[in-house]
Amino acid sequence: MFYEAELNSRLFLGTAGYPSPEVLIQALEESQTDLITVSLRREGQEGKSFREILKKVNKRILPNTAGCYSVKEAVTTAHMARELFQTNWIKLEVIGHADTLQPDPFALVEAARILCDEGFEVFPYTTEDLILGEKLLEAGCKVLMPWASPIGSGQGLRNIPGLLSMRAYFHDVPLVIDAGIGAPSQAALAMEMGFDAILLNTAVAKAKDPIKMAGAFRDATQAGRAAYQAGLMPRRDMAYTSTPTFGLAEFH
């Protein structure tokens, strides 16, 4: 449940970097995603033609403030997104470091507070920092989107202990792994850890076969969630026999 909206799929996909509009449409359908992210910068470049593509796929749109480096820039972009897409949902990115694309925690919280006060339902791109997460919730966010690793890096879950701590600490808050997922196995692991959804783009868009990769991520996300719900066996330091010791044949 995300801001009182229930989505059938726990895989969210970006829409940038696909080899063609046709491949994008087919990949989105194959993924069975209900939610796609759209950058306002791309909308500005491609305009009406891109909006026609979005109508064909009939998915819920989560506009984002990708590429924003200041509070003013992010807030202004969010206002444009609400007017263009007629939605209060916004994925909030306020970048603080040009190389890693790590969010600026101070600007992120300030922008989140402004947007929440204005009626936006904010999905903040953040890190696994617990204090930052608390500040974003205090600002009015009801979802947190920690990175796995830098955007587009494909490094996967670079800080598993930190992400596990975040999942345990914010046990009642929807948490979406956003950025850095490069393989279906990494998505499955995140879901096994109890995260509520995965948001990715590059791993599908830049795959040799984006359509097939979209299906692989769909299956991995579903499998990981099923495993979490089923309850994973505990890890042990030593071997543990699954065959009972009683009832074995005796040799004389």
Side-chain angles (χ1 to χ4, degrees):
M1 188 75 71
F2 301 92
Y3 288 105
E4 308 305 319
E6 190 167 350
L7 303 174
N8 294 319
S9 173
R10 294 177 182 271
L11 176 63
F12 307 155
L13 286 184
T15 55
Y18 284 82
S20 70
E22 292 74 24
V23 171
L24 167 61
I25 292 171
Q26 292 180 62
L28 293 177
E29 293 301 328
E30 185 69 16
S31 72
Q32 297 180 2
T33 184
D34 295 325
L35 183 68
I36 59 176
T37 61
V38 178
S39 167
L40 264 291
R41 289 174 181 259
R42 179 173 185 184
E43 171 61 30
Q45 292 172 346
E46 301 181 22
K48 186 176 179 181
S49 62
F50 187 58
R51 287 199 296 274
E52 292 302 316
I53 294 173
L54 299 181
K55 289 180 181 178
K56 291 180 181 179
V57 299
N58 193 30
K59 308 291 184 181
R60 182 157 189 162
I61 294 175
L62 176 63
N64 70 50
T65 63
C68 293
Y69 283 80
S70 70
V71 173
K72 182 178 180 180
E73 191 176 12
V75 170
T76 301
T77 301
H79 289 163
M80 294 169 58
R82 180 157 63 179
E83 181 176 347
L84 185 61
F85 294 108
Q86 298 297 299
T87 178
N88 286 326
W89 281 22
I90 190 74
K91 177 189 170 186
L92 178 61
E93 295 183 26
V94 187
I95 302 303
H97 192 276
D99 292 331
T100 65
L101 300 183
Q102 181 172 334
D104 179 334
F106 308 103
L108 181 64
V109 171
E110 183 179 350
R113 182 173 292 108
I114 292 170
L115 293 175
C116 288
D117 287 346
E118 293 179 347
F120 283 90
E121 295 176 318
V122 178
F123 292 69
Y125 164 60
T126 182
T127 66
E128 66 275 28
D129 185 277
L130 300 183
I131 305 303
L132 177 54
E134 282 189 330
K135 296 297 183 183
L136 289 168
L137 295 178
E138 291 172 3
C141 299
K142 296 182 179 179
V143 177
L144 297 175
M145 301 180 69
W147 67 349
S149 51
I151 294 172
S153 69
Q155 295 179 24
L157 307 175
R158 200 165 62 170
N159 183 6
I160 289 178
L163 289 169
L164 284 171
S165 294
M166 190 176 198
R167 176 69 284 179
Y169 191 78
F170 298 114
H171 54 87
D172 291 330
V173 178
L175 300 181
V176 180
I177 291 292
D178 176 20
I181 295 294
S185 57
Q186 298 167 0
L189 176 57
M191 298 304 294
E192 289 173 1
M193 291 163 57
F195 285 87
D196 296 281
I198 304 291
L199 195 161
L200 57 92
N201 181 77
T202 307
V204 172
K206 298 302 183 182
K208 183 178 180 181
D209 186 338
I211 300 167
K212 184 174 289 186
M213 186 62 77
F217 272 104
R218 174 201 64 216
D219 295 342
T221 302
Q222 293 173 350
R225 180 63 181 180
Y228 172 73
Q229 292 176 319
L232 298 172
M233 65 169 287
R235 298 182 67 177
R236 299 184 176 93
D237 294 331
M238 301 293 289
Y240 181 82
T241 178
S242 58
T243 304
T245 56
F246 63 87
L248 296 178
E250 295 184 9
F251 297 94
H252 300 284

